[in-house]
Amino acid sequence: MKGFLDANQFSNEFNLVKSNSWVGYSFTGLNVKVPLLLAEDRKNEVQQLQSEQYSKQLDGKSTQFYQESLTAKLELSRLKLQLTAQEDNIALYKETLEILQNRFKEQQIASSELNRQENELQKLLSDYQNTKVQAWLFGLSYLNAAGLLGKLWN
């Protein structure tokens, strides 16, 4: 709300030097601003704040998805290296087991030693299968975080 006081002069004729040709008047005024569209302003402000909040949430979600996909991809590459090492270990263990079986046939070692080595090979094969399952899970996790999981069924 604003108030003001003003004064003006006017004349019916344009004569600067003639006396009493100018008539003066003054007035007071009151300027009141009433927000008629207050609800509309509030609605726009709320929409803007919601839009900013949604944008921040979207940025946060995209960062989270990126981090999840990056983590899954790194874990997947680590598991692939581990699978390669396990495959090499299994191949070496199989060769060792063949040598031990030949020695057992020639009665150079006891059957308990051969059984122990076969159990170790079974453990290695079990660990290998578990690592493959983990690799599949991290692969699916990567596809999910990257938004590519739906492409498996299309």
Side-chain angles (χ1 to χ4, degrees):
M1 181 163 59
K2 294 180 184 177
F4 56 91
L5 176 63
D6 199 4
N8 279 333
Q9 292 185 350
F10 68 94
S11 172
N12 290 333
E13 306 175 359
F14 187 72
N15 188 352
L16 295 175
V17 291
K18 185 177 175 187
S19 65
N20 293 333
S21 67
W22 293 94
V23 177
Y25 71 94
S26 62
F27 58 91
T28 58
L30 185 62
N31 185 8
V32 179
K33 287 177 122 180
V34 178
L36 295 175
L37 301 175
L38 181 64
E40 187 68 26
D41 289 343
R42 179 80 43 132
K43 179 182 171 188
N44 289 338
E45 185 178 339
V46 167
Q47 284 178 345
Q48 183 179 3
L49 289 174
Q50 286 174 342
S51 173
E52 290 173 3
Q53 183 180 12
Y54 177 73
S55 150
K56 288 178 184 176
Q57 286 176 349
L58 190 61
D59 289 342
K61 284 288 186 186
S62 81
T63 302
Q64 177 187 355
F65 289 150
Y66 175 73
Q67 288 175 347
E68 286 177 2
S69 69
L70 186 61
T71 302
K73 191 172 184 179
L74 290 173
E75 190 66 24
L76 186 60
S77 63
R78 183 190 68 80
L79 287 173
K80 284 181 180 179
L81 289 174
Q82 186 176 347
L83 283 171
T84 305
Q86 285 178 338
E87 288 170 355
D88 293 342
N89 284 344
I90 289 171
L92 289 173
Y93 237 86
K94 285 182 178 180
E95 289 178 16
T96 304
L97 194 59
E98 285 179 23
I99 293 171
L100 290 175
Q101 286 173 345
N102 289 336
R103 285 185 181 173
F104 177 73
K105 287 179 185 176
E106 296 172 1
Q107 296 180 349
Q108 293 178 353
I109 61 169
S111 62
S112 60
E113 179 65 22
L114 183 61
N115 287 338
R116 189 181 67 77
Q117 292 295 329
E118 286 176 346
N119 284 339
E120 289 294 323
L121 177 62
Q122 292 301 318
K123 286 180 187 176
L124 282 176
L125 289 171
S126 175
D127 289 344
Y128 178 73
Q129 293 300 325
N130 287 336
T131 306
K132 280 175 78 173
V133 168
Q134 287 178 348
W136 271 99
L137 291 175
F138 278 107
L140 290 174
S141 176
Y142 170 72
L143 290 175
N144 184 33
L148 303 172
L149 192 59
K151 292 189 177 185
L152 288 177
W153 292 276
N154 290 338

